[in-house]
Amino acid sequence: MTPTDRPTLALTGEIPFILITSGCLGLLVSFVLLQLYRRAVRRGMARTAGNSATFEAIGATRAEPSAPLAITYAGGGGKGPAVVDSDGLYSRARTAPWRSGAVYGSAGALFSSTLTVAFLWSGGIEVRPLRFLTLFWVFVWPLVFTLCSVAAATRRERLLVATGYITGYCALALVILITSPDTSPSQLVTLWVGHNLPPSLLFSAFLLRRVRAVGPLVVTFLVLCISGMSFLLDILAWSSTALSSVVNFFGSLGLGETGISIAFVVISLTFFGAVGWVVLQWLRRGYQAKWVNDQSLILDALWLFFGISYSIDLAFDGPAWAMAGLVAFILYLTAVHLGFRLLTPHAAPDGRSLLVLRVFSLGKRSEALFRDVSRHWRYIGTVQLIAGPDLAAATVEPHEFLDFASGRLKRQFINNTEDLSRRLAKLDLAPDFDGRFRINDFFCHDDTWQPTLAALVRHSDAVFMDLREFTSEHRGVIYEIRQLLQYVPLARIVMLVDSRTDRVFLDQAVAAAWRELPSCSPNRAAPDPHLTIMEGSPGRGDSPHALLAAICMAATR
């Protein structure tokens, strides 16, 4: 094998092996780690701090409210009610994801154009408009994943995005078949399938709900470990002197052939594992400095993965051409950050705060609804919540996950009033580079969640409470209802129920909490107190816009 063949072999053979191995192994590892993370959160919640974080009672004097509380159940279906959007919250929440999608679309177009030029130039192919457009459309496929993750909130919207892309490619294919009789439909299908199907199948696994939060971090770590070991193997294979030195060294330690192989694997994985850990810590600092966030980590991994996959074939025209994918990715990153800087040059330093409460036993349903609502809300303000295993995969942040991986998750938990005060003082209220606000989750022990809730209630502009499947077994929710009615104006409370909610018991719990209002409660003197509770079950592909509209209305009151 000639020296020039060796880089080509490495690029076209080893890189796919590394990506596939890291992807498959990363999927399994991510799933296991998230399960362990949930278990660790659950154990921490069940423990007691031993030093209960109590609050002094505010307005402990109680008296009968001036009027009884009326409760109305209203349907929450549809596309969203007509709202008095005085602060433009609802409009901003609805349109901001698509404005972000436009930025990513522009960056994706630059990415695709770069690879198209490289593909044509490396092969000495004449540049023609129709040929350029066809290749461009093939290489812009990752934008479909991007728009579905960033902007398309419902199944209908995601279907429209995918249908638009497929329609565009079919239209181009039809024009090519008409104008180029030598081209067959199978060639056009093979062109798209060969470039997009393998990476799409592999990366789709990391968009699954169960692993999405930590998949990019895990795969980054594994890619560094496996590629580092592969790189060392290449050096030994290409240099007989290096190979002899390694064999002689381990042989002097009394190791045989098998022992030498095992020792090499262990040492190389240990070394490059340490390098991978340093890279993860660098990403952690980038996250805390707002260079990246939970969404951009996934999207950056997506475009880099496809960029590498697309450029593998270019290595046959010369190893340097394999860098086209990396160049396209760098241009994509530059366009993204420049686009958001131009789009949000005067972003507000802070936004509205939304406190999310829920029945922990909802599990997947709670996570689906939380994802749909927070996708829009995070463009207008922060989300506060008490962490739980039900939303672990949706809200885990890089620094929290790395604390768990290093055995230090317990330092995220609130143990006393000093911890709580410190966390409240350090609430992340500033938007990220893309204009999105962050989720502030509070890890609480069994004896610290109530004072934490009491503090969060007072630090929120609106409160959304997911009471689907609420029954008399959920006694902790009764305390939450009491806190809301006592310290949050009724107009700023949004509750959601479904057919599985025990409404009789809910009415009783609300009535009991109303009778215990403290004298300082903002609701005690209301002349005509009224609580509207929404009915429905968004989060299963239905439109979340009606619920979003109600929450935005609550935040403006």
Side-chain angles (χ1 to χ4, degrees), residues 231-254:
F231 174 71
L232 289 182
L233 285 173
D234 288 338
I235 292 178
L236 295 179
W238 296 343
S239 173
S240 57
T241 303
L243 179 60
S244 298
S245 299
V246 171
V247 171
N248 292 334
F249 172 76
F250 285 112
S252 66
L253 300 178

Side-chain angles (χ1 to χ4, degrees), residues 174-207:
L174 181 61
V175 175
I176 291 174
L177 293 174
I178 293 174
T179 58
S180 303
D182 295 336
T183 304
S184 66
S186 61
Q187 289 177 315
L188 295 171
V189 172
T190 300
L191 175 66
W192 190 94
V193 170
H195 283 92
N196 286 321
L197 186 59
S200 296
L201 291 176
L202 187 56
F203 198 86
S204 292
F206 291 96
L207 296 180

Side-chain angles (χ1 to χ4, degrees), residues 69 207 229 254 306 352-353 360 364 369 408 421 462 537 542 546:
L69 175 64
L207 296 180
M229 184 176 65
F306 273 88
R352 305 301 176 97
S353 59
F360 278 2
K364 296 179 181 179
L369 179 59
R408 297 180 294 178
S421 298
S537 186
D542 300 328

